[in-house]
Amino acid sequence: MTDSVTPDIDFDALEKRYTEEREKRLRADGLGQYLSLSGTFSSFDADPNAPTAFEREPVERRTDIVIIGGGYGGLLTAVQLRKHNVTDITIIEKGADFGGTWYWNRYPGVRCDVESYIYVPMLEETGFVPSEKYAKGAEIYEQCRLIARKFDLYRDALFQTITKTLAWNETTQRWLVRTNRGDTIEARFVVSATGVYSSPKLPKIPGIEAFEGASFHTSRWDYAFTGGDTDGNLTGLKGKKVGVIGTGSTGIQCVPPVAEYADELYLFQRTPASVDIRGNRPTDISWFKSLPSGWETERVMNFTLWTSGVPQVEDMIDDSMSNLCRETAAQAVARSEGVDEDELNKAEILRMERVRRRVEAIVKDKTTAEALKPYFHYFCKRPGFSDDYLQVFNRRNVTLVDTGGNGIEKVTPRGIVVGGREYELDCIVYATGFDFMTSFTRESGLSIVGTGGRSLEEHWSHGAKTLFGMQTNGFPNLFLLSMVQAGMSVNYRHSADEQSKYVADLIFHCLKNEVGAVEPTAEAVEEWVGLCMELSGPNRRFHEKCTPSYLNFEGNRPPELELNAPFGGGPLAYFEYLEKTKADGFKGLLEFTRHVVK
Ligand code: N01
């Protein structure tokens, strides 16, 4: 069937192609196709930013609050607590500094992919001005450190320290926190902010460990080998053949600088990314300085409203992502006015058709251009944006090795094998992503034992069960900042802002009112999980038909992760739940709560 408005598009054929491409990529091993950077592969986890760990004696301490993780979640929670004049906070962080994602991800070309004026926190409070609409990672990292200095968070922070176990002591009403450095810390409250994309993964390809050249994950970029820094200048790649595996948001950011410096670059592609216009530009300083007080909150909300399908008078961000969401919002209105689903589906296919035509317009070699065209529904994967990724395929030193959906066959001591051909390489870069919404204990590496000696692993053996994605019954005074059963904004910073405020307000409430222990009842948790499952239905059904990715558990969701979904009502409704609970002085929560006065 063709369409009268766009006569050259055969929508049915495209739908069929989407299904075929998905089926090519579905694998029985699903998430099992990946390895974590532990055991045999722990050398991949070494911190290239601080190769030697500093020495210190184990710490024995009693503290009000332990925060695990110094990325956005941990940092913002600590800031909110400081604003309540809570001073006794110990932050435990695996890296050698604050920053989380922005500490670890220093690959060349790294930038935020949501506009920096709404993604980088606390611009108004710190006076920090991002230099571009999509700021470089190094700037965002600096802003994290600036926030930490401004709120005096370095004081009691323990860096290069991995939290291993948390055990609740019923008698003292405290958590006993133990780390890999022999620290023992007793804390009234623990906030686990171990990150959303913090557990890197490698593909389980035979031979990885036997490769004799340099190889590393993008979140552990080896500048000692490549030379240069996040700005490029990768002079160590002169005369080198480099293979990059992965074409997600990371791959499309790091490929252009590598292409500029390596003698030969082979990009191994399993699924082409959708790559739309980025439109990055320097910040207009006079515009930035003219913004009225309170602009940041308003702008952050403007984006979340658009991306939640709530039309606004103005689109303050006005970029490819917000334009996309404006279209989606218009579609939601059309749907409510009874426009046929078929028509809406066509609009969605046309959107991706624009992306495919952009590939044709930029990439000169027809076979390469064809292989770079994505065939899946737009929101099946995190949309990609770049002004220089597709252009690299016009360079003579760049070869796209399209694996036809199969991925790499094996790694040999000399290189990578695809389709029976060995590509000899000096270096392999794994841009293969992170665990996402899988098992909390596996991703965080934490062993947590709550009331009655019950472990969190056991408690969640049939899936995560939370209230607001942050608390669970049987684990008093423990807050988990994650996206599971929480409202997920496209702008992670907005979710982190709201979660951190909620957690800090609740902890402050407990400290002020001498509430010894707070935890939701099993009934409250059951109700929230039920609501999450009910509301996440449409999104789950959409993703079940998608090409495999981390967003749909590689198309093969394990039964124990059945409940691992974001709160399906969207970020705005989620924020309202948090606000309402705070507004009634946590009464609702505390009524349904095991409530012990110290
Ligand atoms: O990881 P990904 P990412 N053979 O999982 C491929 C955030 N982020 O690090 O598509 C060959 O998206 C895999 O192929 P396929 C952002 O939210 C933010 O890029 O599964 N290839 C895919 O191409 C993002 O969504 C920012 O077929 C193999 C790639 O590896 C999230 O992090 C920057 C393979 C993994 O892509 C994750 O992005 C970067 C194999 N055997 C990231 N196995 C900023 O905001 C896997 N792949 C700056």
Side-chain angles (χ1 to χ4, degrees):
M1 182 193 79
T2 59
D3 183 75
S4 56
V5 188
T6 47
D8 57 335
I9 293 184
D10 185 336
F11 288 98
D12 291 344
L14 278 171
E15 277 288 9
K16 190 161 167 277
R17 172 94 191 253
Y18 285 13
T19 308
E20 284 165 5
E21 294 291 338
R22 171 181 183 272
E23 278 165 8
K24 261 195 233 173
R25 289 168 175 81
L26 277 176
R27 303 166 45 137
D29 54 357
L31 292 174
Q33 67 181 284
Y34 290 106
L35 294 165
S36 63
L37 312 192
S38 58
T40 320
F41 299 94
S42 55
S43 63
F44 278 88
D45 196 27
D47 182 356
N49 313 304
T52 38
F54 60 81
E55 297 293 320
R56 68 163 172 82
E57 291 300 310
V59 166
E60 229 177 273
R61 190 183 283 175
R62 266 169 93 88
T63 184
D64 279 342
I65 299 139
V66 158
I67 297 179
I68 307 168
Y72 269 24
L75 206 53
L76 294 174
T77 305
V79 166
Q80 295 303 333
L81 285 163
R82 283 284 199 259
K83 287 184 175 179
H84 284 301
N85 293 321
V86 175
T87 50
D88 193 2
I89 306 170
T90 301
I91 300 178
I92 307 177
E93 164 57 52
K94 177 178 172 179
D97 210 325
F98 286 104
T101 287
W102 302 100
Y103 173 86
W104 294 104
N105 286 276
R106 302 191 196 192
Y107 56 83
V110 59
R111 289 172 185 279
C112 51
D113 68 354
V114 165
E115 188 199 64
S116 52
Y117 316 130
I118 57 168
Y119 177 77
V120 183
M122 308 188 74
L123 296 179
E124 279 198 89
E125 275 178 78
T126 58
F128 184 80
V129 184
S131 64
E132 292 166 290
K133 191 166 168 77
Y134 305 93
K136 288 177 180 162
E139 279 183 34
I140 306 173
Y141 172 49
E142 277 312 314
Q143 169 69 349
C144 293
R145 302 175 70 206
L146 178 63
I147 293 170
R149 283 196 301 276
K150 185 176 165 75
F151 290 90
D152 192 22
L153 301 178
Y154 279 96
R155 200 179 58 198
D156 293 320
L158 300 174
F159 291 110
Q160 293 189 318
T161 304
I162 299 171
T163 312
K164 302 300 273 184
T165 62
L166 306 178
W168 177 250
N169 183 324
E170 201 62 60
T171 316
T172 60
Q173 301 276 293
R174 281 176 181 263
W175 285 99
L176 178 63
V177 181
R178 291 185 191 276
T179 74
N180 67 334
R181 285 188 178 251
D183 307 313
T184 47
I185 304 169
E186 286 184 65
R188 288 184 62 183
F189 299 90
V190 173
V191 181
S192 161
T194 49
V196 179
Y197 298 109
S198 54
S199 172
K201 60 189 195 208
L202 295 170
K204 203 185 270 175
I205 307 168
I208 288 193
E209 65 284 4
F211 180 62
E212 286 168 359
S215 60
F216 48 86
H217 189 273
T218 44
S219 64
R220 306 286 186 274
W221 194 273
D222 184 1
Y223 285 106
F225 178 79
T226 66
D229 54 30
T230 61
D231 280 334
N233 202 26
L234 310 173
T235 48
L237 295 184
K238 195 168 165 20
K240 299 285 194 293
K241 293 179 187 166
V242 180
V244 175
I245 306 175
T247 53
S249 307
T250 303
I252 68 172
Q253 285 186 337
C254 75
V255 156
V258 173
E260 202 181 324
Y261 291 93
D263 263 26
E264 292 175 44
L265 165 61
Y266 295 87
L267 176 60
F268 296 90
Q269 171 182 273
R270 189 166 68 177
T271 308
S274 70
V275 187
D276 213 334
I277 297 164
R278 176 72 301 176
N280 196 15
R281 55 181 181 266
T283 300
D284 173 346
I285 303 291
S286 54
W287 163 77
F288 194 88
K289 294 214 160 130
S290 74
L291 292 167
S293 163
W295 68 267
E296 196 178 338
T297 310
E298 196 190 346
R299 198 172 176 96
V300 166
M301 188 49 109
N302 183 269
F303 181 75
T304 300
L305 283 162
W306 274 115
T307 51
S308 305
V310 184
Q312 300 297 292
V313 177
E314 187 191 357
D315 174 4
M316 293 175 170
I317 315 306
D318 195 18
D319 68 358
S320 295
M321 176 63 106
S322 66
N323 289 341
L324 192 65
C325 295
R326 284 212 314 266
E327 284 178 28
T328 315
Q331 276 195 321
V333 173
R335 182 173 283 119
S336 69
E337 288 169 353
V339 171
D340 185 44
E341 277 300 322
D342 245 22
E343 289 305 311
L344 296 174
N345 201 23
K346 280 182 189 171
E348 151 89 22
I349 288 177
L350 279 176
R351 213 175 283 148
M352 197 56 123
E353 187 60 20
R354 286 203 306 260
V355 169
R356 288 189 284 265
R357 293 195 181 181
R358 181 166 185 257
V359 179
E360 264 169 32
I362 295 173
V363 179
K364 294 192 180 116
D365 178 73
K366 284 201 170 349
T367 313
T368 307
E370 213 42 53
L372 284 165
K373 290 183 184 171
Y375 286 93
F376 47 80
H377 283 276
Y378 211 112
F379 287 108
C380 281
K381 292 197 176 240
R382 173 118 181 160
F385 306 97
S386 173
D387 298 332
D388 52 8
Y389 171 73
L390 292 170
Q391 289 78 353
V392 304
F393 298 98
N394 294 330
R395 296 178 68 109
R396 297 168 77 107
N397 66 330
V398 176
T399 306
L400 178 72
V401 183
D402 181 44
T403 66
N406 296 319
I408 308 295
E409 271 164 52
K410 64 177 173 181
V411 176
T412 69
R414 288 168 307 280
I416 283 177
V417 177
V418 171
R421 176 179 163 190
E422 183 178 35
Y423 294 82
E424 283 195 23
L425 301 165
D426 300 297
C427 171
I428 299 177
V429 177
Y430 292 96
T432 45
F434 305 86
D435 287 332
F436 183 75
M437 283 209 191
T438 63
S439 146
F440 172 81
T441 36
R442 204 178 73 88
E443 279 188 31
S444 66
L446 287 170
S447 153
I448 307 179
V449 178
T451 52
R454 189 170 163 82
S455 73
L456 188 66
E457 213 162 11
E458 205 184 326
H459 184 52
W460 283 1
S461 56
H462 299 293
K465 291 175 209 143
T466 72
L467 176 66
F468 303 150
M470 293 189 274
Q471 286 176 278
T472 191
N473 53 307
F475 296 79
N477 296 5
L478 175 67
F479 300 90
L480 311 170
L481 302 191
S482 93
M483 290 291 102
V484 172
Q485 295 163 13
M488 203 164 84
S489 169
V490 175
N491 179 11
Y492 170 68
R493 173 264 169 106
H494 197 177
S495 302
D497 266 347
E498 299 301 326
Q499 286 193 326
S500 61
K501 277 187 209 146
Y502 178 85
V503 169
D505 287 0
L506 178 49
I507 291 177
F508 176 65
H509 177 94
C510 292
L511 290 172
K512 199 173 78 180
N513 297 294
E514 301 217 324
V515 177
V518 59
E519 66 175 283
T521 58
E523 293 73 29
V525 167
E526 200 178 314
E527 204 176 306
W528 182 253
V529 175
L531 186 66
C532 286
M533 289 306 104
E534 186 191 324
L535 296 175
S536 67
N539 198 33
R540 285 163 74 111
R541 284 192 287 280
F542 169 76
H543 276 290
E544 273 157 18
K545 290 191 196 144
C546 277
T547 195
S549 80
Y550 74 81
L551 288 175
N552 67 358
F553 303 90
E554 302 299 331
N556 193 350
R557 181 195 281 265
E560 69 277 14
L561 301 182
E562 199 46 49
L563 305 176
N564 286 26
F567 169 71
L572 294 165
Y574 176 72
F575 300 158
E576 263 175 44
Y577 272 103
L578 303 187
E579 276 309 316
K580 200 171 162 300
T581 312
K582 280 195 286 185
D584 74 357
F586 300 101
K587 238 174 57 226
L589 174 70
L590 294 171
E591 266 168 23
F592 291 103
T593 291
R594 204 175 137 275
H595 178 180
V596 184
V597 177
K598 201 172 50 156

